[in-house]
Amino acid sequence: MPSPATAMARGHEGRVMSFGARPERAWQRMLSGRRLDLINPSPLDVEIEDIAHGLARVARWNGQTEGVHIFSVAQHSVLVELIGRRQAAARGVDLDHRWRLALLLHDAPEYVVGDMISPFKAVIGGDYKAVETRLLAAVSLRFGLPANWPASLVKLVKAADRASAFLEATRLAGFELAEAKRFFGAPFPLDMAAEREYLTPWSAAEAKARFLARFRELAVEPTPAPVAASAAGETP
């Protein structure tokens, strides 16, 4: 009798496959016609329309949010960019447009792999993270960002992401304030007008349109000369 691990590795015809072997198909076909390879993604196969379309249809919080529409990753991304920009301004920093673009694109890999909740990522382990990292590197290169983000940018993105998660958790996902603070840290306040606008779930069409609009606002700004690797870690 084969072991459970061997049985799980068998294909439809009963062939035993190595877990490390390349699958028969490791790419996804996008509506643009691009075929994005998950194992070795090329920046040339990344299109912003595909990203916006996919993220607008991926639900945050596994869809466990209030409202007529899902709270999409596209809407979350727009919110994170807003919060990151305001957090920087509160410190007296005029954030470089490239780092604002990075804030907007921080969850771009989820247009391919979906939005897995953090507890599930912890169960899966490192393989998921490796795929996500390769995808983000391809997206970054496609849009003029460094493949490996400097530590200061990663810190900025994480702070804005956690602040967004706190607001989403308490306004949309049913978390108590103390519970959300324990998981996501101290909140970053938004004014009531911004909360109404950015925390009322948008339709998929609106989320896609607003994500694309913000991308185009950031992408058209003048691109500076390429940043040397030694300078990539400078504070944004």
Side-chain angles (χ1 to χ4, degrees):
M1 176 179 293
S3 70
T6 300
M8 289 175 64
R10 291 189 184 277
H12 292 298
E13 292 79 26
R15 298 190 301 271
V16 177
M17 301 175 62
S18 166
F19 281 111
R22 183 184 177 94
E24 183 177 349
R25 180 170 75 88
W27 50 264
Q28 179 180 345
R29 187 192 187 283
M30 304 298 172
L31 287 180
S32 66
R34 298 287 188 182
R35 285 174 166 79
L36 186 65
D37 190 323
L38 273 69
I39 295 176
N40 186 27
S42 168
L44 297 177
D45 291 324
V46 174
E47 298 289 348
I48 194 60
E49 288 277 349
D50 293 330
I51 293 174
H53 185 86
L55 295 186
R57 288 158 174 77
V58 175
R60 291 271 293 169
W61 307 96
N62 267 352
Q64 298 298 311
T65 51
E66 298 178 355
V68 175
H69 304 289
I70 65 167
F71 188 83
S72 70
V73 175
Q75 184 169 353
H76 163 77
S77 299
V78 174
L79 176 59
V80 167
E81 192 272 329
L82 171 72
I83 290 175
R85 182 162 26 99
R86 290 191 177 183
Q87 286 177 327
R91 303 195 309 272
V93 176
D94 184 13
L95 205 58
D96 187 287
H97 82 278
R98 293 171 300 163
W99 297 160
R100 285 182 270 144
L101 183 60
L103 283 161
L104 185 70
L105 295 173
H106 78 284
D107 274 341
E110 294 179 6
Y111 89 106
V112 181
V113 298
D115 182 25
M116 294 185 182
I117 59 174
S118 297
F120 191 41
K121 289 181 183 179
V123 171
I124 293 175
D127 289 344
Y128 173 88
K129 189 64 179 177
V131 172
E132 190 177 55
T133 298
R134 288 194 295 267
L135 288 168
L136 185 58
V139 170
S140 297
L141 291 173
R142 172 67 176 83
F143 300 117
L145 299 170
N148 298 308
W149 290 3
S152 58
L153 175 58
V154 172
K155 181 179 179 181
L156 173 79
V157 170
K158 285 184 176 180
D161 192 39
R162 287 169 65 85
S164 179
F166 179 95
L167 291 170
E168 296 166 28
T170 54
R171 306 304 191 269
L172 297 168
F175 281 60
E176 297 293 335
L177 289 175
E179 184 180 30
K181 188 173 182 179
R182 185 167 72 251
F183 288 121
F184 309 116
F188 180 82
L190 289 181
D191 56 87
M192 290 301 296
E195 283 206 19
R196 283 194 301 271
E197 180 178 1
Y198 291 94
L199 289 164
T200 299
W202 304 332
S203 68
E206 182 178 3
K208 177 180 178 180
R210 295 186 68 158
F211 180 92
L212 282 173
R214 189 62 185 139
F215 170 83
R216 287 165 181 153
E217 288 172 355
L218 296 170
V220 298
E221 295 193 32
T223 302
V227 179
S230 61
E234 295 178 358
T235 301

